[in-house]
Amino acid sequence: MKKRSIFLISSLAFGFSFLYVPILVMIAFSFNEANLSTTWTGLSLKWYQKLFENEQALKALMLSLRIALISATFATILGTLAGLALARFGHFKSRLFLAGMVSAPLVMPEVITGLAMLLFFISIGGLIGWPSGRGVTTITIAHITFSMAYVAVVVQSRLSSLDQSLEEAAMDLGGRPIRIFFDITLPLTAPAMMAGWLLAFTLSLDDLVISSFVSGPGANTLPMYIFSKVKLGISPDINALATLMIGTVACTIGLAGYLSMRHRASRGSGDG
Amino acid sequence: MNALATSKQKTEQAGQSRSIGFFDRHWKRIVIGLALLWLTLFFLLPFLIVLKISFANPIIARPPYTPLIGEDGRLQATLENFSFILSDGLYAYTYLNSLKLAAISTVLCLLVGYPMAYGITRTQGSTRLILLFFVVLPFWTSFLLRVYAWMGLLGNHGLINGFLLRLGLINAPIQMLYTDFAVYVGIVYSYLPFIILPLYASIERLGDTLNEAAADLGAGPFRTFMDITLPMTAPGILAGSLLVFIPAMGEYVIPALLGGPDSLMIGRVLYDEFFFNRDWPVASAVAILLLLILIIPIVWFQYINGKHQEEGA
């Protein structure tokens, strides 16, 4: 600390408690024996047991994971193309249009995106017979569309921060553009693509509003299942589910953060 | 031959060269084309359809609205949905209420987030990295579950009421869940990380030299903050505020889980209009009006963002 100010330290303490106390309380009460979240009656794993016997929840989880895997992969491919074009192709004719279309899904309220996609699927379903119904396919397409925008932003900012001399050198030496892309640009972009894929995966796994709009009968994703349950009030097995999900994410991100910090430290540049 | 091909590529006339294939000549166009095709088809086109349906009349049929071009080939667009929304007191109230909730939440986010961002810039090395890590971590955890976590704290049988009752400070539980108060807490809680990061970036960029100069010239900390830090970090304040305000305006999950029957927000009304009343044209018109309200902040945000990227490049 350069200057220790009581005001700044207490606002940091307040802010971080505000961010983390609710989560910690939820985690603690997932191990509580009682139904209510007011009283602590004893340590118990019964809500976890109940959760693993809950077939509906497990089915929803599997469906969400499947959608997240597919949509994150396609979003990473399409988002990388968009990010590459915005960062490396200079000024082309449709640049402003593409830039606008990439950033629009980031700021668009979810209810509007969800409504628009649903009405679109119904309209073209009526016109050309595809998609014939709503469900996994429509949810996956919707997720690809909004998460590719996030991937594009991550990839674009990574590529803009790298200088182009390697690619230019390869170009001057007569390399074919496609070879240059696979041999030079792609390896440079790989960390950003990984980060983008993880982001797209998380966004898909977490999306409730857009999925609810474009889903059909039978396709219940995990957030849709959770929402339908917690709308009626708190339920301890959802606390258990939340603990497992948040625990997984925290461990993964914590490990990634720790590794990148060590990597940075070993390179000796402390500024992030 | 290679040299020839290279020079041709450089002058964007690679089309004449025969040494390289179709893909090599057109790969840029293919890359741009694929990204544009997907976004046009699945993002732009859906919005045009919403726009179209907002001018239609609801009918009991499948689909439940009249086509834009009637069977007699004439245009049958109506502004009735919009005039209905604008003349109906409930919708007007809902738009204003959403504006109020989003604006107050944004200010609360700034009040909590600015000192936090400032505090983080005062730390160094690994402390700073760890604090930033804990700001970013909530991004990766489920939004829905984080909102749900507050239900356990704020409810009548929740932890806060239980605590206050046991201390004897209150005799009966205070109604906090299902009120506007809970909506404010939910929005500030969910969007706080979004506002801290741009604030942190702009305070960090400002550095110490100006503050030190002001202090050397005899300005007190408050004066320095008001005259230097605050105006110099205005772009970060604006960008962060828009990042909270825009999504908060259309929020559905937070008012649905934490809000009461009278904490009406436009996102929730749109959802209900579509799923419970099945009035597609009115729901579309509600969406178009929300978009019109948000277009200024959205364009403003894109402008700041674009300027920032130009500077960064």
Side-chain angles (χ1 to χ4, degrees):
Chain A
M1 293 248 173
K2 290 170 195 165
K3 272 183 210 157
R4 282 173 195 274
S5 137
I6 294 168
F7 172 70
L8 288 182
I9 292 175
S10 45
S11 53
L12 277 176
F14 170 78
F16 280 108
S17 335
F18 179 64
L19 281 178
Y20 284 95
V21 165
I23 296 177
L24 295 176
V25 168
M26 181 168 64
I27 291 173
F29 275 97
S30 76
F31 297 106
N32 188 10
E33 212 187 344
N35 278 326
L36 285 177
S37 54
T38 6
T39 40
W40 181 268
T41 52
L43 201 65
S44 156
L45 287 174
K46 75 171 186 192
W47 301 115
Y48 289 87
Q49 198 191 343
K50 238 188 121 185
L51 179 69
F52 285 114
E53 287 163 3
N54 184 341
E55 273 179 33
Q56 237 186 323
L58 293 179
K59 227 180 102 189
L61 173 69
M62 292 320 282
L63 182 74
S64 277
L65 285 175
R66 212 172 82 203
I67 293 173
L69 274 173
I70 301 172
S71 68
T73 307
F74 278 94
T76 304
I77 298 170
L78 286 163
T80 303
L81 295 181
L84 178 74
L86 290 174
R88 281 289 192 263
F89 289 1
H91 287 275
F92 51 94
K93 245 187 287 171
S94 49
R95 193 194 145 84
L96 201 64
F97 182 57
L98 182 65
M101 291 260 279
V102 160
S103 52
L106 305 177
V107 286
M108 195 57 68
E110 285 176 307
V111 279
I112 300 185
T113 311
L115 177 74
M117 295 228 166
L118 172 59
L119 292 177
F120 165 76
F121 286 131
I122 294 174
S123 300
I124 63 159
L127 272 179
I128 61 170
W130 179 91
S132 51
R134 269 157 281 126
V136 181
T137 315
T138 47
I139 298 176
T140 309
I141 291 175
H143 285 189
I144 294 172
T145 309
F146 75 76
S147 45
M148 76 172 271
Y150 287 87
V151 178
V153 170
V154 174
V155 168
Q156 185 194 356
S157 69
R158 161 87 184 172
L159 280 175
S160 313
S161 72
L162 295 168
D163 77 303
Q164 299 190 31
S165 49
L166 273 176
E167 282 130 302
E168 277 162 8
M171 203 82 106
D172 288 343
L173 293 170
R176 292 174 60 199
I178 188 80
R179 279 290 302 275
I180 296 174
F181 175 74
F182 278 107
D183 288 352
I184 298 170
T185 316
L186 205 58
L188 287 176
T189 327
M193 286 171 71
M194 268 307 292
W197 189 90
L198 274 176
L199 190 58
F201 184 82
T202 329
L203 288 168
S204 165
L205 207 57
D206 192 32
D207 172 68
L208 168 73
V209 176
I210 294 173
S211 302
S212 307
F213 270 102
V214 299
S215 175
N220 251 328
T221 64
L222 191 62
M224 286 163 73
Y225 171 76
I226 296 174
F227 186 69
S228 67
K229 258 201 116 170
V230 303
K231 229 175 9 186
L232 309 169
I234 54 168
S235 80
D237 52 338
I238 297 292
N239 288 354
L241 177 65
T243 303
L244 292 177
M245 286 177 69
I246 290 172
T248 313
V249 170
C251 289
T252 317
I253 301 296
L255 190 70
Y258 174 72
L259 289 177
S260 83
M261 243 167 99
R262 259 196 20 186
H263 181 67
R264 229 175 257 166
S266 69
R267 281 195 322 196
S269 60
D271 59 318
Chain B
M1 198 64 204
N2 269 339
L4 182 69
T6 313
S7 73
K8 295 267 180 177
Q9 271 166 12
K10 275 191 169 168
T11 48
E12 297 289 328
Q13 289 170 342
Q16 290 169 5
S17 167
R18 281 184 197 168
S19 69
I20 48 180
F22 174 83
F23 193 81
D24 287 296
R25 271 181 277 131
H26 294 289
W27 76 286
K28 280 189 179 181
R29 244 170 261 168
I30 294 169
V31 166
I32 298 168
L34 276 174
L36 266 183
L37 181 72
W38 185 280
L39 285 169
T40 308
L41 192 59
F42 294 116
F43 196 77
L44 186 62
L45 194 58
F47 280 95
L48 298 178
I49 291 172
V50 173
L51 191 65
K52 184 193 95 175
I53 295 176
S54 72
F55 292 113
N57 277 310
I59 48 168
I60 301 171
R62 287 189 72 170
Y65 59 89
T66 53
L68 199 58
I69 313 281
E71 275 165 13
D72 50 358
R74 275 195 295 181
L75 189 73
Q76 39 179 5
T78 170
L79 286 171
E80 240 167 67
N81 304 312
F82 291 97
S83 60
F84 167 68
I85 293 169
L86 293 175
S87 60
D88 187 291
L90 190 66
Y91 286 103
Y93 171 79
T94 308
Y95 278 110
L96 290 176
N97 202 42
S98 304
L99 275 173
K100 185 190 94 181
L101 285 163
I104 294 178
S105 310
T106 307
V107 173
L108 291 174
C109 263
L110 274 175
L111 291 178
V112 180
Y114 200 99
M116 283 180 79
Y118 201 91
I120 295 173
T121 61
R122 297 286 111 181
T123 61
Q124 272 162 343
S126 57
T127 318
R128 183 187 288 205
L129 285 179
I130 289 167
L131 290 180
L132 281 174
F133 170 75
F134 279 108
V135 170
V136 176
L137 186 62
F139 275 121
W140 296 88
T141 54
S142 167
F143 176 80
L144 177 61
L145 290 174
R146 283 187 294 131
V147 173
Y148 163 70
W150 278 99
M151 293 178 75
L153 287 178
L154 295 173
N156 282 352
H157 300 287
L159 199 68
I160 296 175
N161 269 320
F163 189 64
L164 293 174
L165 281 168
R166 203 162 309 160
L167 285 180
L169 288 173
I170 50 170
N171 296 320
I174 312 169
Q175 180 72 43
M176 287 183 287
L177 190 60
Y178 310 128
T179 63
D180 278 0
F181 170 74
V183 176
Y184 286 125
V185 170
I187 298 179
V188 174
Y189 177 68
S190 308
Y191 293 109
L192 190 59
F194 288 88
I195 208 165
I196 293 178
L197 291 180
L199 287 175
Y200 166 79
S202 66
I203 299 169
E204 157 89 306
R205 207 175 310 140
L206 175 63
D208 272 340
T209 38
L210 277 176
N211 286 354
E212 278 161 11
D216 288 346
L217 292 171
F222 183 73
R223 180 82 195 275
T224 312
F225 180 78
M226 292 308 280
D227 286 356
I228 294 173
T229 315
L230 207 56
M232 292 291 279
T233 52
I237 295 174
L238 199 60
S241 303
L242 290 172
L243 274 177
V244 175
F245 181 80
I246 296 167
M249 216 21 225
E251 188 52 56
Y252 170 74
V253 176
I254 296 172
L257 285 184
L258 302 178
D262 54 338
S263 13
L264 285 173
M265 288 192 80
I266 205 67
R268 202 174 159 193
V269 169
L270 191 158
Y271 194 92
D272 292 348
E273 195 66 60
F274 189 84
F275 284 106
F276 300 120
N277 296 345
R278 300 203 169 272
D279 194 333
W280 295 14
V282 166
S284 301
V286 169
I288 296 295
L289 281 179
L290 174 58
L291 207 54
L292 284 179
I293 295 175
L294 287 179
I295 203 85
I296 295 169
I298 286 177
V299 171
W300 199 1
F301 178 74
Q302 305 244 26
Y303 172 74
I304 304 171
N305 223 18
K307 218 169 65 171
H308 176 71
Q309 270 180 7
E310 301 277 298
E311 281 166 11

